[in-house]
Amino acid sequence: MDTGEFRRLWDDLAAIGRADDGGYLRFSWSEADLACRDWFRAQAEDRGLRWETDRNGNRYAWWDPEPTTVPGEAPPDDRAVLTGSHFDSVPHGGAYDGPLGIVSAFLAVDRLRAEGAEPRRPIGIVAFTEEEGGRFGVPCLGSRLTTGALDPAAARGLTDPDGITLADAMRAAGADPDALGPDPERLDRLDAFVELHIEQGRGLDGEGAAVGVAGAVWPHGRWRVTVTGEADHAGTTRLADRRDPMLTFAFAVLAARKEARLAGGLATIGRVEAEPNATNAIAARVTAWLDARAPDDTVLEAILREFESKVQDRAARDGTQVSITPESETTLVEFDPALRDRIATLLGGAPVLPTGAGHDAGVLAAHVPTAMLFVRNPTGVSHAPGEAASDEDCAAGVEALAAVLRDLAC
Ligand code: GLV
Ligand code: MN
Ligand code: MN
């Protein structure tokens, strides 16, 4: 595929939600998200694809097979092959995480059409809502709601950092939050889901391959860590009299790192809010978010157990109170082995890689045969403005996705 073709469609989307630092602010149901949704609709309409939005705000474009007119001929299979990803970003995230899977999907359809291929079953392109949890805190919001992994009432009540609920944000964007909920019939109509994504590490670079296939998604989760102390004057309160939650928080950051290192996993505290957030006052409360991941569920549990116990000990010494509550948890996901092997072989023995990143594909995998394609990321940087892939590798990703769709659906 011509890299210019990739670049043209990529550039067409690139300005939406881009901040001055080159990172993206594409939070779900924001102006930028709505502009991305409009872009998706325009892409579908330009190609004559039927488009729709499901009850959870996930948007689809469909390339349907021609109905058969030959008497006695078997009707086309109506169970679809779905591909796509998400538009939303982490705050100041990179351009590729998510949108690459959607742009590549439209281009793969173009590629198949250009060679005269005809689908024998529907080929769908999806843009899932809020994969990153960048606004309402729960990752894979749209796919979790669709699979029933997230209670719709709980979802409606989720709040963003400004205190706006998901329900209000949806209403303001013209969507109906009362419609949120599981959609088993929609899942039953899927034969397979294949998500193309930029790699978020340097595995493919090490292998010297432009495209790879996912083997598994590490277990991972997010926990809210709330440390409560007592606000007081920074200049008059004796050190011995303080109940300073900032101390417990500082310990927690180091404990997360240490327990992850000892157990062989990963743990990060990348978000924190202090109240009242004054320079000359001891904080009353610090809220932080722990992100932890590990190669298997036992290691992840061990990190959490040790983290919690050490932070509680420290809180007792600081005179503070700590609560640690899960906001989302995902156990180990192993992608469908038959589909994984079929795709790896089809792509000439593409490398199979695990990933520590979460994906809607990981959520769908429990319900539909699911696979992922990764496109090489030479620096491995992701969730930051430096995230990038070469146009040549992105074009190779489109070719690979087209080959997969041809194999599964044409
Ligand atoms: C999503 O990209 C995540 O891994 O948090
Ligand atoms: Mn991401
Ligand atoms: Mn992603």
Side-chain angles (χ1 to χ4, degrees):
M1 186 207 161
D2 173 19
T3 55
E5 221 178 305
F6 170 77
R7 182 44 56 184
R8 274 190 294 283
L9 195 57
W10 188 248
D11 284 348
D12 197 48
L13 176 69
I16 301 174
R18 188 165 52 200
D20 289 345
D21 65 354
Y24 281 83
L25 299 166
R26 283 180 180 161
F27 301 121
S28 65
W29 303 112
S30 65
E31 295 273 314
D33 185 39
L34 297 184
C36 287
R37 288 164 183 271
D38 285 349
W39 181 91
F40 184 101
R41 190 191 62 208
Q43 293 304 317
E45 286 174 352
D46 284 354
R47 290 167 174 78
L49 304 176
R50 178 169 65 83
W51 68 272
E52 59 170 336
T53 305
D54 73 10
R55 59 190 302 179
N56 297 309
N58 307 308
R59 185 158 281 193
Y60 299 79
W62 294 105
W63 180 16
D64 293 313
E66 291 294 323
T68 176
T69 51
V70 182
E73 190 177 281
D77 195 330
D78 63 354
R79 294 180 72 240
V81 173
L82 186 67
T83 184
S85 192
H86 60 97
F87 284 121
D88 68 298
S89 67
V90 300
H92 297 270
Y96 292 77
D97 178 354
L100 183 63
I102 298 172
V103 168
S104 300
F106 280 113
L107 290 173
V109 165
D110 293 348
R111 180 80 178 83
L112 292 173
R113 282 178 159 179
E115 67 188 36
E118 283 288 342
R120 67 187 147 78
R121 53 170 81 245
I123 294 179
I125 300 173
V126 62
F128 281 113
T129 298
E130 179 134 351
E131 188 270 355
E132 300 287 7
R135 181 168 183 190
F136 293 102
V138 176
C140 303
L141 191 62
S143 54
R144 278 185 211 268
L145 281 162
T146 297
T147 56
L150 178 62
D151 174 52
R156 280 188 281 274
L158 292 169
T159 52
D160 73 4
D162 295 326
I164 298 170
T165 63
L166 173 63
D168 285 344
M170 287 184 71
R171 274 191 212 100
D176 176 14
D178 294 328
L180 293 177
D183 205 343
E185 295 83 16
R186 182 173 287 276
L187 293 170
D188 282 350
R189 292 199 302 271
L190 297 182
D191 189 61
F193 175 55
V194 181
E195 179 172 359
L196 178 146
H197 205 278
I198 186 167
E199 197 200 349
Q200 297 167 290
R202 297 184 57 196
L204 288 174
D205 198 50
E207 299 268 358
V211 178
V213 182
V217 178
W218 280 18
H220 57 283
R222 298 178 181 192
W223 291 263
R224 181 189 291 244
V225 181
T226 309
V227 191
T228 310
E230 189 173 31
D232 213 330
H233 197 294
T236 59
T237 315
R238 294 188 322 148
L239 294 179
D241 294 339
R242 297 180 182 208
R243 292 172 47 222
D244 186 350
M246 201 60 87
L247 296 182
T248 318
F249 159 70
F251 176 88
V253 174
L254 298 175
R257 165 79 180 220
K258 181 173 177 184
E259 298 312 326
R261 176 170 55 78
L262 293 177
L266 298 168
T268 309
I269 294 185
R271 177 179 168 200
V272 59
E273 289 169 8
E275 295 164 54
N277 210 18
T279 306
N280 55 353
I282 297 160
R285 181 161 49 228
V286 176
T287 308
W289 282 263
L290 171 74
D291 176 308
R293 311 184 186 220
D296 67 52
D297 295 309
T298 321
V299 172
L300 186 59
E301 280 159 25
I303 294 171
L304 257 293
R305 193 175 52 245
E306 290 306 314
F307 173 77
E308 176 144 25
S309 131
K310 305 273 167 38
V311 174
Q312 290 292 2
D313 283 355
R314 175 72 205 201
R317 282 185 276 138
D318 292 335
T320 57
Q321 272 90 45
V322 179
S323 73
I324 300 174
T325 50
E327 293 204 331
S328 70
E329 286 175 284
T330 307
T331 56
L332 179 71
V333 173
E334 302 216 52
F335 288 112
D336 187 90
L339 188 57
R340 175 200 66 203
D341 293 347
R342 176 172 173 165
I343 293 175
T345 306
L346 179 74
L347 301 181
V352 176
L353 311 159
T355 176
H359 299 285
D360 294 304
V363 175
L364 256 66
H367 304 265
V368 177
T370 295
M372 288 191 77
L373 296 179
F374 289 136
V375 171
R376 173 165 50 194
N377 173 344
T379 64
V381 169
S382 188
H383 286 185
E387 179 184 88
S390 71
D391 286 3
E392 288 72 21
D393 286 355
C394 292
V398 173
E399 290 287 353
L401 182 60
V404 171
L405 296 178
R406 189 186 300 119
D407 183 48
L408 298 178
C410 293

